Amino acid sequence: MTRKDEALLSVRHLVKHFPIRAGIFKRIVAWVKAVDGVDFDIYEGETLGLVGESGCGKTTIGMTLLGLYPPTGGSVYFNGEDITPYLLPRWKVRSYLKQTYVNHFKKLSGDEIEKLPQEVRRYAEVYFNDHKGNTESFVRHFTENRKEKQKAIRREMQIVFQDPYSSLNPRMRIGNIIGEAVDVHGLASSSAERRRMVAEILQKVGLYPEYAMRYPHEFSGGQRQRIGIARALILNPKLVVADEAVSALDVSIRSQILNLMEDLQREFQLTYLFISHDLSVIKHISDRVAVMYLGKIVEVAPKKKLFDRPLHPYTVSLMSAIPIPDPDYKKRRVILKGDVPSPINPPSGCRFHPRCPIAREVCSKEEPPLKEVEEDRKVACFFAGEIS
Amino acid sequence: MSALSEKKPILQVKDLRTYFYTEDGIVKAVDGVNFEVYEGETLGIVGESGCGKSVTSLSILRLLDEKGKIESGQIVYKGKNLLELSEDEMRKIRGNEIAMIFQEPMTALNPVYTIGDQIMEAIMLHQKLPKDEARKLSIEMLRKVGIPEPEKRVDEYPHELSGGMRQRAMIAMSLSCNPSILIADEPTTALDVTIQAQILELMKQLQNEYGMSIIMITHDLGVIAEVSDRVLVMYAGKAMEYAGVRELFKNPKHPYTWGLMNSIPRLDVEYERLNAIPGTVPDALHFPEGCRFHTRCELATDKCRVEEPPLEEVAPGHFSACWHVDKLEAAIAVQREGESA
């Protein structure tokens, strides 16, 4: 894995809240804080594993990055470019830009702007140099050709879904399911070329080109997941979000698909955001791992460091909870008490404190920040490393 | 496994064949399966989807739908063949002597009755207790399975409980009549790992307390290793291997078992590449001739394609249905040498 200094995808303070509506006027009565301030980077060519239990917000992150849900707050940078304006609905773009950049820049002196993080500083230059400090012109920079730019971003970021049964339209032939994206992006000049592209990608994922004429119900779960992967890869994207892509498959099939995804990553220089609840799968496929709990990232580290010595008490208990297929394997179990709390009303302070075996008073009052404890490794815990 | 032989089997399944007569043809979901469940012990049945593990458990309780038919075999429970009992006699066994918990507690619990009503129903039916005592016992059971504030929870509906709590309520219900056998069909598959650890721990603790036998059906070899005493590995309606849990994991004697173990990435081992079993599970309408695993087996020979291997004792207490146990042993030795080097 080659790692460049600049991240392919950077996520800053990403927030996604879903409203709960009730009553005859459908008033908003509460918010589900699915993702509540998340930061991470994915470097080119690597696989970032995102692991957590159901309801922790890992799927929401994937969907938000692809623009399938508009973000409530925060920024997403792809290839160094702020793509948040294209993920947001049009009417929110202006206030987003003002809040994130313009208001900020106006207050800063030249020296202070120099010290801004690179991704933000870049827009300071665009604002002052290209647009001469004219806000309207700066906003237009993002709203002009919006549709084309959105399309270009979507071509670079694709997703493979969990359920290979519900994610393929049962009334479409495989060739059309995979070829649809080619049509949308106008990548084939003739139907013969489109056929050739579909046939080629089918072979790449280990299926026969003849399958293009068949319907989804004619395939097994593993084959359908291959079709889902082919659909994502035909556009030659840079980033693929795999959302529980192997969770619905039997173990013997699961390892086939994991091997296939690794082969394809090498061949097409793909970057993966691999979302899963299964730590053993995450350990196998990831280069770095981010652990989520209740809308927050609690620990992010290179795989080896994380699995050799987990530092956050939640990571520790998650690892010790996995049943190991060896009856003689002796391990120290940290069995957590209680259930995951509701993301509507998360606990105060550290969100893990009601279930944490080492929680102290400060944990219920103050929220621990996600901070670097070693090189390349961040943990959000006041007492990181106390149990491991 | 010497301790095993001293115990007596509480349930014996002999040559069970359960077929489904569908519009497309006959599905031989379970096709000649033998096993024993010993008192106070856990039998794990492991296999992938469609291997017949759930149908086996439903056959024991005679809970098949009208398309399914038990063709032949015996299910001997405490000396009685369950397949010869009348429906009335069977009803006294179900839930009372052999209880079952299911994968998805939300669909197994009735959404329009409270948890308490549903537990009390079983208690009043089987133990003939009056309502107030049944309620007291229900609360007691809920406390036993670790549900906080059982006096309050007893009047709640299933949707008010979390997934883990629902599974606890299901366990409370199934144990309320003190059954001798508990069949658990993928009881933790729908749960998160931290909750799964809680439920498995609870089941072990209750087994010690009540001394019941458990049939644990799962696709997860990790769960099997954790809770089972004996393991039955199923593939395409057939038993492939049957052995004590330590023996099975240490010396697998069937290529399918070995393949399954290899395809799970273990947390304590580094892999360059996962060992996958090639191909897919065969279609239940057209199982292959000969050994049903031969289409995916690397050791398969012409013999495997024609002749079906019987389940034979290949080591004391260790049964395998494979013609090439010796070839497999050699292959395993080679791989392990490579791993340790």
Side-chain angles (χ1 to χ4, degrees), chain A residues 39-70:
Chain A
D39 296 72
F40 62 87
D41 297 291
I42 308 180
Y43 298 93
E44 202 158 342
E46 77 164 354
T47 301
L48 178 72
L50 188 58
V51 68
E53 296 179 282
S54 45
C56 73
K58 55 193 191 301
T59 294
T60 307
I61 286 187
M63 301 290 261
T64 312
L65 294 182
L66 291 160
L68 297 171
Y69 299 144

Short mmCIF file of all heavy atoms in Angstrom, two decimals, chain A residues 39-70:
data_model
loop_
_atom_site.label_atom_id
_atom_site.label_comp_id
_atom_site.label_asym_id
_atom_site.label_seq_id
_atom_site.Cartn_x
_atom_site.Cartn_y
_atom_site.Cartn_z
N ASP A 39 -14.45 12.85 12.43
CA ASP A 39 -13.31 13.25 11.60
C ASP A 39 -12.51 12.02 11.22
O ASP A 39 -12.21 11.20 12.09
CB ASP A 39 -12.36 14.16 12.40
CG ASP A 39 -13.01 15.47 12.78
OD1 ASP A 39 -13.89 15.45 13.69
OD2 ASP A 39 -12.66 16.48 12.20
N PHE A 40 -12.19 11.90 9.95
CA PHE A 40 -11.21 10.88 9.56
C PHE A 40 -10.69 11.16 8.16
O PHE A 40 -11.24 12.01 7.44
CB PHE A 40 -11.80 9.46 9.64
CG PHE A 40 -12.97 9.19 8.73
CD1 PHE A 40 -12.77 8.76 7.43
CD2 PHE A 40 -14.27 9.35 9.19
CE1 PHE A 40 -13.85 8.50 6.60
CE2 PHE A 40 -15.35 9.10 8.37
CZ PHE A 40 -15.15 8.67 7.07
N ASP A 41 -9.61 10.50 7.80
CA ASP A 41 -9.03 10.63 6.46
C ASP A 41 -8.88 9.24 5.86
O ASP A 41 -8.63 8.28 6.58
CB ASP A 41 -7.62 11.24 6.54
CG ASP A 41 -7.66 12.65 7.09
OD1 ASP A 41 -8.17 13.54 6.40
OD2 ASP A 41 -7.19 12.84 8.24
N ILE A 42 -9.02 9.16 4.56
CA ILE A 42 -8.69 7.92 3.86
C ILE A 42 -7.64 8.27 2.82
O ILE A 42 -7.81 9.21 2.04
CB ILE A 42 -9.92 7.31 3.16
CG1 ILE A 42 -11.08 7.16 4.14
CG2 ILE A 42 -9.57 5.95 2.57
CD1 ILE A 42 -12.32 6.55 3.52
N TYR A 43 -6.52 7.55 2.86
CA TYR A 43 -5.44 7.82 1.92
C TYR A 43 -5.58 6.94 0.69
O TYR A 43 -6.18 5.87 0.74
CB TYR A 43 -4.09 7.59 2.61
CG TYR A 43 -3.90 8.53 3.77
CD1 TYR A 43 -4.26 8.13 5.06
CD2 TYR A 43 -3.44 9.82 3.57
CE1 TYR A 43 -4.13 9.01 6.13
CE2 TYR A 43 -3.31 10.70 4.63
CZ TYR A 43 -3.66 10.29 5.90
OH TYR A 43 -3.54 11.16 6.95
N GLU A 44 -4.99 7.41 -0.38
CA GLU A 44 -5.17 6.72 -1.65
C GLU A 44 -4.62 5.30 -1.60
O GLU A 44 -3.52 5.06 -1.08
CB GLU A 44 -4.47 7.50 -2.75
CG GLU A 44 -5.06 7.16 -4.09
CD GLU A 44 -4.79 8.24 -5.12
OE1 GLU A 44 -4.45 9.39 -4.74
OE2 GLU A 44 -4.91 7.93 -6.30
N GLY A 45 -5.39 4.36 -2.09
CA GLY A 45 -4.94 2.98 -2.19
C GLY A 45 -5.10 2.16 -0.92
O GLY A 45 -4.82 0.97 -0.90
N GLU A 46 -5.56 2.78 0.17
CA GLU A 46 -5.68 2.02 1.41
C GLU A 46 -7.13 1.58 1.64
O GLU A 46 -8.05 2.00 0.94
CB GLU A 46 -5.19 2.85 2.61
CG GLU A 46 -6.18 3.89 3.06
CD GLU A 46 -5.88 4.43 4.46
OE1 GLU A 46 -4.97 3.92 5.13
OE2 GLU A 46 -6.56 5.38 4.87
N THR A 47 -7.29 0.73 2.63
CA THR A 47 -8.62 0.34 3.05
C THR A 47 -8.81 0.80 4.48
O THR A 47 -8.04 0.42 5.36
CB THR A 47 -8.80 -1.19 2.99
OG1 THR A 47 -8.57 -1.62 1.66
CG2 THR A 47 -10.20 -1.59 3.41
N LEU A 48 -9.80 1.66 4.67
CA LEU A 48 -10.12 2.06 6.04
C LEU A 48 -11.31 1.22 6.47
O LEU A 48 -12.37 1.24 5.84
CB LEU A 48 -10.46 3.55 6.12
CG LEU A 48 -10.87 4.02 7.52
CD1 LEU A 48 -9.67 4.07 8.45
CD2 LEU A 48 -11.54 5.38 7.48
N GLY A 49 -11.15 0.47 7.53
CA GLY A 49 -12.26 -0.32 8.08
C GLY A 49 -13.02 0.52 9.08
O GLY A 49 -12.41 1.19 9.91
N LEU A 50 -14.34 0.53 8.96
CA LEU A 50 -15.16 1.28 9.90
C LEU A 50 -16.02 0.26 10.62
O LEU A 50 -16.86 -0.41 10.01
CB LEU A 50 -16.02 2.28 9.12
CG LEU A 50 -16.82 3.31 9.89
CD1 LEU A 50 -15.91 4.16 10.75
CD2 LEU A 50 -17.58 4.21 8.93
N VAL A 51 -15.77 0.09 11.91
CA VAL A 51 -16.44 -0.99 12.63
C VAL A 51 -17.24 -0.44 13.80
O VAL A 51 -16.87 0.56 14.40
CB VAL A 51 -15.40 -2.06 13.08
CG1 VAL A 51 -14.47 -1.51 14.14
CG2 VAL A 51 -16.07 -3.34 13.56
N GLY A 52 -18.34 -1.08 14.08
CA GLY A 52 -19.18 -0.68 15.21
C GLY A 52 -20.44 -1.50 15.20
O GLY A 52 -20.71 -2.23 14.25
N GLU A 53 -21.22 -1.38 16.27
CA GLU A 53 -22.43 -2.20 16.37
C GLU A 53 -23.59 -1.51 15.67
O GLU A 53 -23.49 -0.35 15.26
CB GLU A 53 -22.76 -2.42 17.84
CG GLU A 53 -21.69 -3.22 18.53
CD GLU A 53 -21.99 -3.43 19.99
OE1 GLU A 53 -21.79 -2.50 20.79
OE2 GLU A 53 -22.47 -4.51 20.32
N SER A 54 -24.72 -2.21 15.57
CA SER A 54 -25.85 -1.63 14.86
C SER A 54 -26.27 -0.33 15.53
O SER A 54 -26.27 -0.22 16.76
CB SER A 54 -27.01 -2.62 14.81
OG SER A 54 -27.22 -3.21 16.05
N GLY A 55 -26.61 0.65 14.71
CA GLY A 55 -27.06 1.92 15.24
C GLY A 55 -25.95 2.87 15.62
O GLY A 55 -26.22 3.93 16.15
N CYS A 56 -24.69 2.52 15.35
CA CYS A 56 -23.61 3.42 15.75
C CYS A 56 -23.38 4.50 14.71
O CYS A 56 -22.63 5.43 14.94
CB CYS A 56 -22.32 2.66 16.01
SG CYS A 56 -21.54 2.06 14.51
N GLY A 57 -24.01 4.38 13.53
CA GLY A 57 -23.90 5.44 12.53
C GLY A 57 -22.95 5.13 11.40
O GLY A 57 -22.70 5.99 10.56
N LYS A 58 -22.43 3.91 11.33
CA LYS A 58 -21.43 3.63 10.30
C LYS A 58 -22.03 3.65 8.90
O LYS A 58 -21.42 4.19 7.98
CB LYS A 58 -20.70 2.31 10.59
CG LYS A 58 -21.58 1.09 10.78
CD LYS A 58 -20.77 -0.06 11.37
CE LYS A 58 -21.55 -1.38 11.33
NZ LYS A 58 -22.84 -1.37 12.03
N THR A 59 -23.23 3.11 8.73
CA THR A 59 -23.87 3.15 7.42
C THR A 59 -24.23 4.58 7.04
O THR A 59 -24.06 4.98 5.89
CB THR A 59 -25.13 2.26 7.42
OG1 THR A 59 -24.71 0.91 7.57
CG2 THR A 59 -25.90 2.40 6.12
N THR A 60 -24.69 5.37 8.02
CA THR A 60 -25.05 6.75 7.74
C THR A 60 -23.85 7.52 7.19
O THR A 60 -24.00 8.34 6.29
CB THR A 60 -25.57 7.42 9.03
OG1 THR A 60 -26.61 6.61 9.56
CG2 THR A 60 -26.10 8.81 8.75
N ILE A 61 -22.67 7.25 7.73
CA ILE A 61 -21.47 7.92 7.21
C ILE A 61 -21.30 7.61 5.73
O ILE A 61 -21.13 8.51 4.90
CB ILE A 61 -20.23 7.48 8.01
CG1 ILE A 61 -20.26 8.14 9.39
CG2 ILE A 61 -18.94 7.87 7.26
CD1 ILE A 61 -19.01 7.92 10.20
N GLY A 62 -21.37 6.32 5.39
CA GLY A 62 -21.21 5.93 4.00
C GLY A 62 -22.22 6.60 3.10
O GLY A 62 -21.87 7.14 2.04
N MET A 63 -23.47 6.61 3.53
CA MET A 63 -24.53 7.20 2.71
C MET A 63 -24.33 8.70 2.56
O MET A 63 -24.60 9.27 1.51
CB MET A 63 -25.90 6.93 3.34
CG MET A 63 -26.21 5.46 3.51
SD MET A 63 -26.51 4.63 1.97
CE MET A 63 -28.28 4.62 1.97
N THR A 64 -23.87 9.37 3.62
CA THR A 64 -23.67 10.81 3.57
C THR A 64 -22.52 11.18 2.63
O THR A 64 -22.62 12.12 1.86
CB THR A 64 -23.40 11.36 4.99
OG1 THR A 64 -24.38 10.83 5.87
CG2 THR A 64 -23.47 12.86 5.02
N LEU A 65 -21.44 10.40 2.68
CA LEU A 65 -20.30 10.68 1.82
C LEU A 65 -20.68 10.64 0.35
O LEU A 65 -20.17 11.39 -0.47
CB LEU A 65 -19.18 9.66 2.05
CG LEU A 65 -18.52 9.68 3.42
CD1 LEU A 65 -17.42 8.65 3.47
CD2 LEU A 65 -17.96 11.06 3.69
N LEU A 66 -21.63 9.75 0.02
CA LEU A 66 -22.02 9.60 -1.37
C LEU A 66 -23.14 10.54 -1.77
O LEU A 66 -23.63 10.49 -2.89
CB LEU A 66 -22.46 8.16 -1.61
CG LEU A 66 -21.31 7.16 -1.54
CD1 LEU A 66 -21.83 5.78 -1.29
CD2 LEU A 66 -20.52 7.21 -2.82
N GLY A 67 -23.57 11.37 -0.83
CA GLY A 67 -24.64 12.30 -1.16
C GLY A 67 -26.01 11.66 -1.16
O GLY A 67 -26.97 12.23 -1.70
N LEU A 68 -26.14 10.48 -0.56
CA LEU A 68 -27.46 9.84 -0.52
C LEU A 68 -28.29 10.40 0.63
O LEU A 68 -29.51 10.33 0.61
CB LEU A 68 -27.30 8.32 -0.41
CG LEU A 68 -26.59 7.70 -1.62
CD1 LEU A 68 -26.26 6.25 -1.39
CD2 LEU A 68 -27.44 7.84 -2.88
N TYR A 69 -27.62 10.92 1.65
CA TYR A 69 -28.27 11.76 2.67
C TYR A 69 -27.51 13.08 2.67
O TYR A 69 -26.28 13.06 2.68
CB TYR A 69 -28.12 11.20 4.08
CG TYR A 69 -28.70 9.84 4.36
CD1 TYR A 69 -28.04 8.99 5.23
CD2 TYR A 69 -29.91 9.43 3.81
CE1 TYR A 69 -28.56 7.75 5.54
CE2 TYR A 69 -30.43 8.20 4.11
CZ TYR A 69 -29.75 7.35 4.97
OH TYR A 69 -30.25 6.13 5.29
N PRO A 70 -28.20 14.22 2.70
CA PRO A 70 -27.45 15.48 2.85
C PRO A 70 -26.91 15.59 4.27
O PRO A 70 -27.61 15.26 5.22
CB PRO A 70 -28.50 16.55 2.56
CG PRO A 70 -29.81 15.89 2.79
CD PRO A 70 -29.63 14.43 2.56
#
